[in-house]
């Protein structure tokens, strides 16, 4: 029977605290019963330093249910066999002080540190502070993998805890302070640089590591500035050299430009000289222009009265012409209207006579309509009957349409359900495609080539299996290997060979295939009834958890005996020993575990092994195939009904169309009969009306010849008046024409003078703009001949400067600007570089001198420790380049044999025991210099030989038990005999075994009393 697991640790009487009793209902079963105890070896009298650990409490943590440890202020040695829970205390210290799981090298999630089977765990660390102890509590939630933090029982955040821990200089991530069991080997792997950084953080002043980081940053910036200055200096030199090469060309270019500028000035002065010559001519032309203006003015004054008379006559002529034209048009229009009216009257008379003749002929042919009423009544009765049939037919069509809409809605609903089922199936196929692409391609090939097989072929088992409850998918996936889950199942060996030849050989796809047994195992009954197993918590066999085609189910029953493997609950796991012993089942599933039971061939003992169930990946999607088949049948039935409704609708529409056609025919007959009945009376009325209209039109006559004669007389009178006015206007126009000719001549003369004036004014403006150059022109020739001679000379000189490129001058000027800019930038960079070098010098002095002193002290103690062991060792500050502050490191060199030289401590040169000794002595050298409140070293003596182990232990005791030293935790599974101890030591023994007392029954005082009585009663 399983018993509750208990571990408990108590400290010396001065710091002993009793564990609280625990509710039995919350205990977690285990296979062993254990407890832990700490017995004092000697009295502890040393005070705690700031930040030392006063108390460690654990609940549901790793191997402990409830445990409380009260360490001493100096050396604390935790002793116990392997697996008893020593390192659990180290893990509790690390996690309780906001350390990361990775610091211990065990697990990457904090939830893994909670005891198996428990949902929550707790670690509580009490740290000594002069102003009042600091209690840090960390509660761990396994399901969420989260931690909840408390300081002095008040909720807080991890960041606040980290700040409080850092304020006490506690560094659980620093191997020089906290060296767990799984990280011992990594200490020797630390590089010199990493060891220096860890040492600075561990024992150096707080500002030492900060100065080191500053130096590295300053040095990096200094390198960047040096590189920048060097590059800019080189680039500046290249620019200066390039400009020197082109300097002569630039000077020649500017010499040529001076000649061209002089040519430009000469060309500018030449028009100015010409202007002076033309200006005199302008003055003369101006006088001529003034005389012509005066003559034009006099002519205009004489022309004004004639012009006014001409304008008056012209206006009168236009008015008369308009009146004449208007009167003639009126007469012509009136004549045309009379003519049109007469023609229209004659046409209407002819039409009326013809219509009267036609109506009389039609009246003669019209029959007697008195006997048509019975026929009209019969047709009306037929129309009513057809209307009733049409209404009935329309009602049936509406009913059929409603029925069709209902069926369409049902069809859409069923289609949506089928689409959802197909979507679930597609999810399974997507998982298959992502994980096993070859198998997925083979499935596609199979679906297109099923006609090649004689018997049934099932797709991969993971696609054909349909879980009844997807929560149970994990049992099937853990029971059936992945290779078989993606295997195709065949009923025929021949079919399987055809498939594999095509898929494996031809398409080179990696697929699996199996053959179902010839005789079906799908319905084979289990050897034991499920009702017998329900008392152990079993609720089903694996076969009942899912549906599958018969070949697949038969194969799985035959191969993996799924009809014989029961599935249980948490109740089954709690009674697992009884279940294994009484049922003799070979395989068992509980809520989260799989148990495999075997019988030893040699000893006939029952051996069981259990594994945790993996999370299901492929079978979590559930598709109810039976429901899908039902939906497909329902869809077929709906399609059948829709076809029947459509057929009925078509027939009804044909009937309705036929009735409509018959209705139209009857209505047409009725209309014709009614028209025949009223036609004779209408014809007589029309003939009478048309005869009256004809008589009126014949009386209304018009004399067109008389109207034409009157219009011609009026037009002749108007034309005579027009002729008189035209004669008078012609005489006036002749007088005006002669005057216009004289005016045109004067205007032409005036235009010529104005043109010459404008030209002279433009020349004057151009010359005036050149007057600004008068000062320059004073040094130039004043005559056109001299200017032309000097122009020729300068053009010849300018033509001598050949092969000059203006872009060279532009590049030269641009480089001059860049040189000036680069010079300024380089000057600023050098000033900035000098400032950084000054900062580096100051910070280096503050960092390097204390560091050298610190390393000297470490070297002194380290060398002394090695000398006492008849070995040699030294610690020095190592760097290849004094200016590379990121390359500084602490180098440890050791020698364990007199015949060898000092060698640097590396993971490869020394043995495991030598590395352990060196690591331990280095940590001891840091002990008296340490600023940290405590140090933890876990099982570092494992690789040492007995001599070195004894020497190291003596050194640890002597060093860690001195006054004013920090707290020390030394964890070991074994100790040599006759080791020296100190009164300031605290020894914690961790016991573990099936015969340990329950924590609530443990009584240290009673145990001591019994021990004393035994000692006193023994004979001397």
């Amino acid at each position: 029977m399983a018993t509750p697991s208990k571990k408990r640790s108590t400290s010396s009487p001065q710091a002993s605290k009793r564990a609280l009793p625990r509710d039995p209902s919350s205990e977690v079963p285990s296979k062993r019963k254990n407890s832990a105890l700490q017995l004092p070896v000697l009295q502890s009298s040393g005070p705690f330093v700031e930040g030392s650990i006063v108390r460690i409490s654990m609940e549901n943590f790793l191997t402990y249910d409830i445990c409380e440890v009260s360490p001493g202020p100096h050396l604390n040695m935790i002793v116990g066999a392997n697996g008893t829970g020593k390192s659990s205390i180290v893990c509790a210290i690390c996690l309780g002080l906001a350390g990361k799981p990775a610091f211990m090298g065990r697990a990457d999630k904090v939830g893994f540190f909670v005891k198996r089977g428990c949902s929550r765990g707790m670690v509580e660390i009490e740290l000594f502070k002069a102003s009042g102890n600091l209690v840090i509590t960390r509660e761990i939630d396994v399901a969420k993998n989260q931690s909840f933090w408390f300081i002095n029982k008040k909720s807080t955040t991890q960041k606040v805890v980290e700040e409080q821990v850092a304020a006490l200089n506690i560094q659980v991530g620093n191997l020089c302070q906290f060296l767990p069991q799984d990280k011992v080997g990594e200490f020797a792997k630390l590089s010199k640089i990493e060891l220096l950084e860890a040492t600075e953080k561990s024992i150096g002043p707080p500002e030492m590591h900060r100065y080191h980081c500053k130096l590295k940053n300053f040095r990096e910036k200094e390198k960047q500035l040096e590189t920048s200055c060097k590059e800019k200096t080189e680039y500046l030199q290249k620019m200066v050299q390039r400009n020197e090469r082109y300097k002569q060309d630039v000077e020649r270019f500017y010499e040529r430009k001076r000649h061209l500028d002089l040519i430009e000035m000469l060309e500018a002065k030449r028009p100015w000289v010409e202007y002076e010559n033309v200006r005199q001519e302008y003055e003369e032309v101006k006088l001529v222009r003034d005389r012509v203006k005066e003559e034009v003015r006099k002519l205009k004054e004489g022309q004004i009265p004639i012009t006014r008379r001409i304008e008056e006559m012209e206006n009168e002529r236009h008015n008369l012409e308009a009146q004449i034209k208007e009167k003639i048009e009126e007469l012509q229009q009136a004549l045309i209207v009379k003519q049109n009216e007469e023609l229209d009257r004659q046409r209407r008379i002819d039409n009326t006579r013809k219509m009267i003749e036609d109506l009389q002929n039609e009246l003669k042919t019209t029959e007697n309509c008195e006997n048509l009423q019975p026929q009209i009544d019969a047709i009306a009765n037929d129309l009513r009957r057809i209307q009733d049939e049409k209404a009935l037919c329309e009602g049936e069509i509406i009913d059929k349409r409603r029925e069709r809409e209902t069926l369409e809605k049902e069809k859409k609903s069923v289609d949506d359900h089928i689409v959802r089922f197909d979507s679930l199936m597609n999810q399974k196929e997507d998982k298959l495609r992502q994980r096993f692409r070859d198998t997925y391609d083979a499935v596609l090939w199979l679906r297109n080539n099923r006609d090649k097989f004689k018997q049934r072929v099932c797709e991969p088992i993971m696609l054909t299996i349909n879980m009844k409850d997807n929560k149970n998918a994990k049992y099937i996936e853990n029971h059936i290997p992945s290779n078989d889950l993606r295997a195709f199942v065949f009923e025929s060996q021949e079919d399987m060979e055809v498939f594999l030849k095509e898929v494996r050989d031809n398409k080179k796809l990696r697929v699996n295939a199996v053959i179902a047994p010839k005789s079906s195992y799908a319905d084979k009954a289990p050897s034991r009834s499920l009702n017998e197993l329900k008392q152990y918590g079993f609720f089903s066999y694996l076969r009942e958890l899912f549906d599958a085609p018969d070949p697949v189910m038969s194969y799985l029953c035959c191969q993996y005996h799924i009809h014989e493997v029961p599935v249980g609950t948490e109740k089954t796991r709690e009674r697992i020993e009884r279940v294994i012993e009484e049922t003799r089942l070979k395989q068992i599933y509980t809520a989260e575990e799989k148990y495999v039971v075997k019988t030893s061939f040699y000893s006939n003992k029952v051996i069981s092994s259990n594994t945790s169930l993996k999370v299901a990946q492929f079978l979590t999607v559930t598709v109810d195939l039976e429901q899908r088949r039902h939906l497909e049948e329902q869809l077929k039935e709906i399609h059948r009904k829709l076809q029947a409704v459509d057929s009925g609708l078509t027939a009804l529409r044909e009937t309705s169309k036929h009735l409509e056609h018959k209705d139209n025919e009857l209505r047409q007959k009725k209309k014709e009969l009614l028209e025949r009945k009223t036609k004779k009376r209408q014809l007589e009325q029309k003939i009478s009306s048309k005869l009256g209209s004809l008589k009126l039109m014949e009386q209304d006559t018009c004399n067109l010849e008389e109207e034409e004669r009157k219009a011609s007389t009026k037009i002749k009178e108007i034309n005579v008046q027009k002729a008189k006015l035209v004669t008078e206007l012609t005489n006036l126009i002749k007088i005006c024409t002669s005057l216009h000719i004289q005016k045109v001549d004067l205007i032409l003369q005036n235009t010529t003078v104005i043109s010459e004036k404008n030209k002279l004014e433009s020349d004057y403006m151009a010359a005036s703009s050149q007057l600004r150059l008068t000062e320059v022109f004073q040094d130039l020739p004043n005559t056109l001949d001299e200017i032309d001679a000097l122009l020729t000379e300068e053009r010849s000189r300018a033509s001598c400067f050949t092969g000059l490129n203006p872009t060279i001058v532009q590049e030269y000027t641009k480089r001059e600007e860049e040189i000036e800019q680069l010079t300024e930038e380089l000057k600023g960079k050098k000033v900035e570089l000098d400032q950084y070098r000054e900062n580096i010098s100051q910070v280096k002095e503050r960092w390097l001198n204390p560091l050298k002193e610190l390393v000297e002290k470490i070297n002194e103690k380290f060398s002394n420790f090695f000398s006492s062991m008849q070995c040699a060792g030294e610690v020095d500050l190592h760097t290849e380049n004094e200016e590379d502050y990121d390359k500084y490191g602490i180098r440890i060199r050791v020698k364990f044999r007199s015949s060898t030289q000092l060698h640097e401590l590396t993971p490869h040169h020394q043995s495991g025991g030598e590395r352990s000794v060196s690591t331990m002595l280095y940590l001891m050298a840091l002990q008296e210099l340490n600023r940290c409140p405590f140090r933890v070293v876990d099982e570092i003596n494992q690789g040492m030989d007995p001599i070195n182990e004894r020497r190291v232990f003596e050194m640890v005791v002597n060093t860690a038990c001195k006054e004013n030293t920090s707290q020390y935790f030394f964890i070991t599974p074994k100790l040599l005999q006759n080791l020296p101890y100190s009164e300031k030591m605290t020894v914690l023994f961790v016991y573990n075994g099936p015969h340990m007392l329950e924590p609530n029954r443990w009584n240290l005082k009673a145990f001591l009393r019994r021990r004393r009585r035994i000692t006193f009663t023994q004979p001397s």
Side-chain angles (χ1 to χ4, degrees), residues 77-257:
M77 188 164 61
I78 302 176
V79 185
N82 288 329
T84 55
K86 303 184 303 300
S87 295
S88 298
I89 298 174
V90 177
C91 295
I93 294 173
C94 179
L95 295 180
L97 295 176
K100 297 178 182 177
F103 290 167
M104 292 163 289
R106 285 194 170 195
D108 57 347
K109 294 183 180 179
V110 71
F112 292 150
F113 290 87
V114 177
K115 186 171 182 179
R116 187 177 183 82
C118 298
S119 60
R120 296 176 73 90
M122 185 274 290
V123 176
E124 187 171 271
I125 308 292
E126 182 176 353
L127 301 176
F128 176 79
K129 287 186 72 175
S131 59
N133 287 1
L134 183 70
V135 180
I136 299 173
T137 307
R138 181 175 190 171
E139 293 183 358
I140 304 169
D141 189 321
V142 177
K144 298 179 180 178
N145 194 43
Q146 289 183 345
S147 296
F148 304 94
W149 296 90
F150 302 87
I151 293 181
N152 295 332
K153 305 302 181 182
K154 294 181 180 179
S155 179
T156 186
T157 62
Q158 182 174 350
K159 184 177 180 181
V160 174
V161 174
E162 290 174 349
E163 290 173 354
Q164 293 277 4
V165 170
L168 295 170
N169 198 36
I170 298 173
Q171 307 166 19
V172 292
N174 190 340
L175 295 182
C176 288
Q177 179 178 346
F178 194 89
L179 191 61
Q181 177 182 351
D182 297 309
K183 293 283 187 175
V184 171
E186 291 188 14
F187 187 89
K189 297 178 183 178
L190 288 177
S191 66
K192 296 186 284 290
I193 299 170
E194 293 171 338
L195 184 59
L196 172 60
E197 184 176 351
T199 304
E200 284 178 339
K201 292 179 180 179
S202 178
I203 66 171
E207 66 275 4
M208 178 175 285
H209 183 253
R210 189 169 66 252
Y211 284 153
H212 192 184
C213 294
K214 277 187 179 181
L215 275 175
K216 288 190 280 188
N217 293 334
F218 284 159
R219 177 55 181 162
E220 186 65 26
K221 188 63 177 178
E222 182 188 20
K223 286 181 179 178
Q224 294 176 2
L225 287 172
E226 287 176 348
T227 304
S228 178
C229 288
K230 183 179 178 182
E231 291 174 353
K232 288 183 182 296
T233 303
E234 292 175 354
Y235 184 62
L236 181 60
Q237 291 175 354
K238 290 179 181 178
M239 297 279 282
V240 172
Q241 291 172 3
R242 189 175 299 173
N243 265 15
E244 286 295 329
R245 288 199 299 270
Y246 293 110
K247 187 174 182 181
Q248 186 176 0
D249 291 342
V250 172
E251 290 176 352
R252 293 176 69 244
F253 178 85
Y254 282 117
E255 179 67 22
R256 179 175 178 271
K257 189 174 183 302

Side-chain angles (χ1 to χ4, degrees), residues 54-76:
V54 176
R55 177 175 57 87
I56 307 169
S57 293
M58 296 166 283
E59 183 176 343
N60 296 332
F61 187 79
L62 290 175
T63 56
Y64 292 105
D65 285 341
I66 294 178
C67 180
E68 186 171 292
V69 180
S70 299
H74 296 293
L75 177 60
N76 292 273

Side-chain angles (χ1 to χ4, degrees), residues 721-732:
Q721 293 177 4
K722 181 179 178 183
K724 291 179 181 180
L725 291 172
V726 168
T727 303
E728 186 178 356
L729 181 62
T730 303
N731 295 329
L732 291 172

Side-chain angles (χ1 to χ4, degrees), residues 432-442 444 509-510:
L432 177 67
R433 177 175 54 80
Q434 294 169 6
R435 187 69 181 273
F436 307 109
R437 182 68 194 207
D438 286 1
T439 306
Y440 177 77
D441 292 341
L444 298 180
L509 299 178
R510 293 177 293 178

Side-chain angles (χ1 to χ4, degrees), residues 348-542:
R348 283 189 285 112
I349 290 171
D350 294 339
N351 290 336
T352 302
R353 285 174 179 169
K354 187 176 180 181
M355 289 175 65
I356 291 170
E357 185 180 352
D358 292 340
L359 289 172
Q360 289 174 346
N361 293 331
E362 188 176 354
L363 181 62
K364 291 177 182 178
T365 59
T366 303
E367 64 181 350
N368 191 3
C369 300
E370 295 177 356
N371 299 325
L372 296 177
Q373 188 61 38
Q375 297 181 22
I376 293 171
D377 295 339
I379 290 173
N381 292 332
D382 291 342
L383 279 173
R384 282 194 293 274
R385 180 178 55 78
I386 288 173
Q387 288 294 332
D388 294 339
E389 290 179 3
K390 279 178 66 178
L392 182 62
C393 185
E394 289 294 333
E396 292 180 0
I397 288 174
I398 291 171
D399 293 340
K400 289 290 184 182
R401 284 176 178 170
R402 289 175 180 169
E403 183 180 356
R404 194 178 193 286
E405 290 175 358
T406 303
L407 290 172
E408 286 290 348
K409 290 179 181 178
E410 292 180 6
K411 178 176 176 292
K412 186 176 183 303
S413 176
V414 173
D415 285 337
D416 291 343
H417 278 80
I418 292 175
V419 167
R420 285 197 288 273
F421 278 115
D422 292 341
S423 176
L424 294 174
M425 197 65 189
N426 289 337
Q427 291 180 23
K428 297 176 74 173
E429 293 179 4
D430 286 342
K431 290 184 178 181
L432 177 67
R433 177 175 54 80
Q434 294 169 6
R435 187 69 181 273
F436 307 109
R437 182 68 194 207
D438 286 1
T439 306
Y440 177 77
D441 292 341
V443 170
L444 298 180
W445 181 88
L446 174 64
R447 291 175 180 174
N448 295 326
N449 298 274
R450 287 193 178 274
D451 55 339
K452 295 185 178 181
F453 304 101
K454 297 178 180 178
Q455 296 188 24
R456 186 176 181 181
V457 179
C458 296
E459 293 183 357
I461 294 176
M462 68 171 61
L463 295 182
T464 56
I465 283 180
N466 184 46
M467 300 301 302
K468 297 177 180 178
D469 187 347
N470 55 14
K471 294 179 181 178
N472 298 324
K474 59 184 178 181
Y475 302 118
I476 306 303
E477 289 195 20
N478 280 273
H479 191 75
I480 304 173
S482 173
N483 286 338
D484 270 7
L485 277 176
R486 58 191 178 95
F488 293 81
V489 181
F490 294 82
E491 291 185 335
S492 165
Q493 178 71 29
E494 183 181 351
D495 286 345
M496 187 174 76
E497 290 175 356
V498 170
F499 176 79
L500 293 178
K501 181 178 180 181
E502 179 65 31
V503 174
R504 279 188 184 172
D505 300 343
N506 297 343
K507 294 185 175 297
K508 308 299 180 184
L509 299 178
R510 293 177 293 178
V511 298
N512 295 337
V514 297
I515 298 180
K518 292 183 178 179
S519 58
S520 177
Y521 282 73
D523 299 325
K524 188 175 182 180
S527 58
R528 300 186 62 170
S529 172
L530 184 63
N531 292 330
E532 298 178 18
L533 301 177
K534 285 185 177 179
Q535 60 177 318
Y536 303 110
F538 294 108
F539 64 88
S540 174
Y541 283 103
L542 287 178

Side-chain angles (χ1 to χ4, degrees), residues 740-750:
H740 271 296
I741 291 170
Q742 294 178 14
K743 180 182 176 182
V744 169
D745 291 338
L746 292 172
I747 288 172
L748 288 173
Q749 293 177 14
N750 186 46

